[in-house]
C-alpha cells in the first residue's frame, strides 16, 4: 500500500494554483484502547482514520486544507483549496515566509517492534487489566483502575522540493492505579507513572511494565498514605524521582524552548515563553549538571521518528549544555525568522491538523550519581515521586507541583512516608539549584501533550533520572 500518488497530486495542484511551495501528508491511523475497573473491563474502543492534509505557501502566508478522501480528484481539489486560502491570507501585507533548507530525500522509516501490539488479542489485553486491577483490589484498594492504548500510524509525505518519505510508527503502553478513600480525602498510587508509560515500541513494552506484579504494592501504599503525616512546609533539600522530573522537564523546559512560543506565534491557548532569543547561547538556565537534549532518534522513546512532518530528518541537538541555553524546538519557517539554520521539530496529531512545533524527546542527560548516593549524601530533606498535580504560568516560569508520595530524608536515609507532598519554584532558579543527578535514566512517555487551536494532542518523550535540588520551598503555606 502506498499513497505517494495522491500526495503528489495534491502538491502539484497547489503549485498550479499559485503556491511557491507545497507539501502534503497522507496519514492512515489505527487505534485501540481498553480500560478496567475493580477487576472488570470497563471500556474497549478501536478506530481507524485516513485522510490527507496539504500546506501551500503564497507570499507571507500559509494555507492548509484537509480531506478524508484519498481519491485523486479529492487530493487535487485539496491542493487547490490550500493555495487559495494562502493567497487570500497573503493579501494582508507581511514579510515573505522563508524556509531553512531541508535536503530532499526519498526514504522509508519504521520503528523497532518485536510484537505488533494490534496483533495481540483483546482477550490477552483484557486478562492483563482484569488481573492487575483485581490484585490491587485484593490488597485493599477502594478503587483499582488500569488502561492500555495502541497507535499504529502510517504516513506518506511529499513536498514540492522533492521529498518522498513514508513512515510506519507503532506505539503502545499503559498503567495501573490504586486509590484509597479516607475521611475527606483520596490517596492514589500509580504505576509506572501518573498516566502510565508509553513508547514507540511493540507489545514488549507493556510486558516489561509488570502491571500485575506492582498492583498490590500500589494499594498498600495508597492506604498507608491516608494516615501518613502531611509534608512539612518550608525550604529544604528536595530529591525528585525520575518520573516527576520528566514532567518538570516537559513543563518548565520543553514548552519554554518551543520557538513558536518564544516568537509569540503560540499565545492564545497555552501561552508564550519567558525566554528571549537575544540570550540564546548566553543565558544560564540551570547548574552545570543540566544538559538537556532534543533527540527524536532515541530507540523506543515516545517522541521518536525518522523524519518530522516537514521532511527534516531526526537529528540530536543540545537545548541546554552545561547549564547554558543553546537550542530550541523549531520548524523551517520559525527557524528562518529567528535566523537559525536548523528545524526538525514539526508534527501534527493527524491528517486534519496543520503541522506545528512540538516536543520530540526532550530529556536530561545522565549524571554521575545513583539515587542511593543522592539519598546518602542528604542530611535533611524530602524525597518526592510520581506526579499528582501541576500548575505553571503561561510563560512557563513560575510553577507548583504535587506528587503522590513523599518521604523524609534524615541523616542519609529515607524516613517516614509523607502525605500530599508539594513543591514550588521559579524555573531558572530551581534548575540552577540542581547539585546531584543520577545516571538511572528512563525515557518517560507523555501521550497527552496539548497545544494549539484547534487543539492537538502530541506524543512526547522525556529521558530523566532522579536529581537533588537545594533550598526548594515545599508544602503549602498556611
Amino acid at each position: 500500500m502506498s499513497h505517494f500518488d495522491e500526495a503528489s497530486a495534491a502538491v502539484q495542484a497547489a503549485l498550479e494554483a499559485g503556491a511557491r511551495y507545497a507539501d502534503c501528508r497522507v496519514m492512515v491511523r489505527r487505534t485501540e484502547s481498553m480500560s478496567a475497573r475493580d477487576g472488570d473491563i470497563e471500556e474497549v474502543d478501536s478506530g481507524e482514520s485516513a485522510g490527507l492534509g496539504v500546506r501551500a505557501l503564497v507570499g507571507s502566508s500559509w494555507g492548509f486544507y484537509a480531506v478524508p478522501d484519498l481519491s485523486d480528484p479529492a487530493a487535487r481539489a485539496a491542493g487547490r483549496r490550500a493555495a487559495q486560502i494562502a493567497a487570500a491570507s497573503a493579501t494582508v501585507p507581511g514579510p515573505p515566509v522563508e524556509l531553512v533548507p531541508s535536503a530532499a530525500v526519498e526514504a522509508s522509516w519504521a520503528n523497532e517492534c518485536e510484537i505488533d501490539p494490534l496483533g495481540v488479542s483483546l482477550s490477552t489485553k483484557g486478562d492483563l487489566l482484569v488481573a492487575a486491577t483485581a490484585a490491587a483490589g485484593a490488597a485493599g484498594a477502594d478503587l483499582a483502575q488500569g488502561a492500555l492504548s495502541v497507535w499504529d500510524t502510517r504516513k506518506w509525505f511529499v513536498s514540492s522540493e522533492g521529498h518522498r518519505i513514508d513512515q510506519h510508527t507503532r506505539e503502545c503502553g499503559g498503567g495501573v492505579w490504586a486509590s484509597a478513600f479516607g475521611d475527606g480525602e483520596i490517596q492514589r498510587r500509580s504505576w509506572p507513572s501518573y498516566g502510565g508509560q508509553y513508547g514507540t515500541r511493540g507489545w514488549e513494552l507493556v510486558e516489561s511494565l509488570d502491571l500485575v506484579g506492582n498492583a498490590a504494592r500500589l494499594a498498600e501504599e495508597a492506604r498507608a498514605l491516608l494516615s501518613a503525616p502531611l509534608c512539612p512546609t518550608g525550604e529544604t533539600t528536595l530529591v525528585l524521582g525520575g518520573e516527576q522530573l520528566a514532567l518538570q522537564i516537559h513543563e518548565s523546559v520543553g514548552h519554554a524552548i518551543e520557538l513558536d512560543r518564544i516568537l509569540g506565534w503560540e499565545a492564545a491557548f497555552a501561552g508564550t515563553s519567558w525566554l528571549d532569543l537575544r540570550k540564546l547561547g548566553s543565558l544560564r538556565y540551570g547548574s552545570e549538571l543540566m544538559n538537556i537534549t532534543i533527540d527524536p532518534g532515541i530507540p523506543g522513546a515516545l517522541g521518536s521518528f525518522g523524519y518530522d512532518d516537514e521532511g527534516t530528518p531526526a537529528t540530536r541537538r543540545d537545548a541546554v549544555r552545561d547549564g547554558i541555553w543553546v537550542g530550541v524546538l523549531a520548524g523551517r519557517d520559525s527557524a528562518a525568522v529567528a535566523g537559525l539554520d536548523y528545524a526538525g521539530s514539526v508534527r501534527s496529531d493527524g491528517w486534519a491538523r496543520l503541522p506545528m512545533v512540538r516536543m520530540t524527546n526532550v530529556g536530561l542527560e545522565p549524571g554521575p550519581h545513583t539515587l542511593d548516593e543522592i539519598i546518602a549524601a542528604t542530611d535533611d530533606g524530602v524525597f518526592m515521586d510520581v506526579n499528582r498535580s501541576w500548575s505553571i504560568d503561561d510563560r512557563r516560569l513560575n510553577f507548583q507541583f504535587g506528587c503522590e508520595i513523599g518521604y523524609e530524608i534524615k541523616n542519609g536515609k529515607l524516613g517516614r512516608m509523607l502525605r500530599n507532598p508539594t513543591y514550588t519554584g521559579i524555573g531558572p532558579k530551581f534548575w540552577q539549584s540542581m547539585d546531584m543527578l543520577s545516571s538511572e535514566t528512563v525515557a518517560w512517555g507523555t501521550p497527552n501533550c496539548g497545544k494549539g487551536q484547534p487543539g492537538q494532542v502530541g506524543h512526547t518523550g522525556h529521558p530523566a533520572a532522579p536529581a537533588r535540588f537545594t533550598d526548594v520551598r515545599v508544602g503549602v503555606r498556611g
Side-chain angles (χ1 to χ4, degrees):
M1 177 180 63
S2 172
H3 291 290
F4 281 126
D5 289 346
E6 296 90 333
S8 297
V11 168
Q12 184 60 35
L15 296 177
E16 291 171 355
R20 60 185 176 93
Y21 169 86
D23 59 35
C24 177
R25 61 204 46 77
V26 175
M27 296 180 64
V28 177
R29 173 173 286 165
R30 294 192 295 160
T31 61
E32 185 178 276
S33 62
M34 179 181 293
S35 62
R37 179 192 296 259
D38 298 331
D40 293 313
I41 296 300
E42 187 174 38
E43 185 176 5
V44 178
D45 188 31
S46 63
E48 182 171 351
S49 67
L52 62 83
V54 191
R55 291 195 311 174
L57 184 56
V58 176
S60 60
S61 300
W62 287 105
F64 177 76
Y65 199 74
V67 292
D69 185 344
L70 299 183
S71 68
D72 184 82
R76 292 182 183 279
R80 289 191 295 269
R81 185 60 174 150
Q84 291 166 359
I85 292 170
S89 300
T91 59
V92 179
V97 172
E98 301 299 334
L99 305 175
V100 297
S102 175
V105 296
E106 295 189 13
S108 182
W109 180 89
N111 65 286
E112 294 183 8
C113 178
E114 296 177 15
I115 305 172
D116 181 0
L118 287 179
V120 177
S121 69
L122 289 175
S123 61
T124 298
K125 293 167 181 169
D127 288 346
L128 174 60
L129 291 183
V130 166
T133 56
D142 294 307
L143 174 64
Q145 298 167 289
L148 298 167
S149 293
V150 176
W151 301 268
D152 185 302
T153 306
R154 294 179 181 267
K155 296 182 183 180
W156 293 263
F157 175 78
V158 171
S159 82
S160 58
E161 294 176 336
H163 296 84
R164 287 175 62 91
I165 301 167
D166 69 275
Q167 301 188 79
H168 185 194
T169 306
R170 286 173 283 191
E171 306 159 299
C172 67
V176 61
W177 303 273
S179 298
F181 303 158
D183 185 12
E185 70 172 301
I186 298 173
Q187 293 295 331
R188 186 177 99 151
R189 290 291 288 123
S190 306
W191 176 261
S193 165
Y194 77 95
Q197 171 65 326
Y198 303 85
T200 304
R201 295 175 58 190
W203 186 251
E204 64 274 8
L205 169 61
V206 175
E207 292 182 337
S208 74
L209 300 179
D210 192 12
L211 300 183
V212 177
N214 283 280
R217 174 184 58 81
L218 298 181
E220 293 163 1
E221 290 178 354
R223 190 147 299 281
L225 280 166
L226 291 173
S227 58
L230 283 169
C231 177
T233 299
E235 289 192 355
T236 190
T237 299
L238 174 65
V239 179
L240 290 181
E243 190 268 4
Q244 173 58 31
L245 195 58
L247 187 65
Q248 181 76 54
I249 294 167
H250 180 98
E251 299 293 348
S252 69
V253 181
H255 278 307
I257 63 172
E258 292 168 337
L259 185 54
D260 56 348
R261 288 178 182 271
I262 296 170
L263 293 173
W265 296 3
E266 168 75 4
F269 177 68
T272 57
S273 171
W274 66 277
L275 294 170
D276 184 337
L277 272 177
R278 292 171 295 184
K279 298 182 179 179
L280 182 64
S282 62
L283 174 74
R284 177 155 293 282
Y285 210 123
S287 73
E288 292 186 355
L289 281 173
M290 186 183 188
N291 293 294
I292 298 284
T293 60
I294 300 164
D295 189 357
I298 299 174
L302 190 61
S304 295
F305 50 79
Y307 297 83
D308 80 344
D309 281 353
E310 294 186 309
T312 303
T315 303
R316 184 183 183 278
R317 301 188 186 280
D318 287 339
V320 178
R321 177 55 53 186
D322 299 327
I324 303 300
W325 175 43
V326 295
V328 298
L329 295 153
R332 296 182 64 189
D333 53 357
S334 57
V337 168
L340 304 175
D341 62 358
Y342 62 88
S345 300
V346 164
R347 289 186 290 167
S348 67
D349 75 351
W351 55 267
R353 291 290 181 263
L354 181 69
M356 65 192 305
V357 174
R358 299 306 303 257
M359 278 180 258
T360 60
N361 298 312
V362 178
L364 191 60
E365 287 188 348
H369 310 107
T370 66
L371 177 58
D372 288 344
E373 289 171 346
I374 294 172
I375 298 296
T378 304
D379 292 330
D380 186 76
V382 176
F383 172 76
M384 300 183 191
D385 199 17
V386 184
N387 184 261
R388 183 173 179 174
S389 65
W390 65 93
S391 176
I392 192 164
D393 69 17
D394 62 2
R395 297 180 65 223
R396 300 286 151 172
L397 187 60
N398 300 281
F399 62 81
Q400 178 173 309
F401 289 96
C403 294
E404 287 186 356
I405 195 166
Y407 291 92
E408 287 182 333
I409 304 175
K410 295 291 185 183
N411 301 316
K413 296 181 179 180
L414 290 179
R416 299 182 301 170
M417 181 184 290
L418 298 174
R419 176 166 49 103
N420 300 341
T422 63
Y423 68 99
T424 186
I426 301 172
K429 181 179 179 182
F430 176 80
W431 285 106
Q432 287 169 30
S433 76
M434 183 171 66
D435 68 346
M436 294 188 78
L437 174 62
S438 171
S439 60
E440 300 151 314
T441 298
V442 173
W444 296 97
T446 300
N448 60 339
C449 175
K451 185 180 177 183
Q453 287 181 310
Q456 298 193 37
V457 177
H459 290 188
T460 67
H462 302 290
R468 189 175 79 170
F469 303 83
T470 60
D471 301 321
V472 178
R473 176 160 288 281
V474 303
V476 179
R477 294 187 228 192

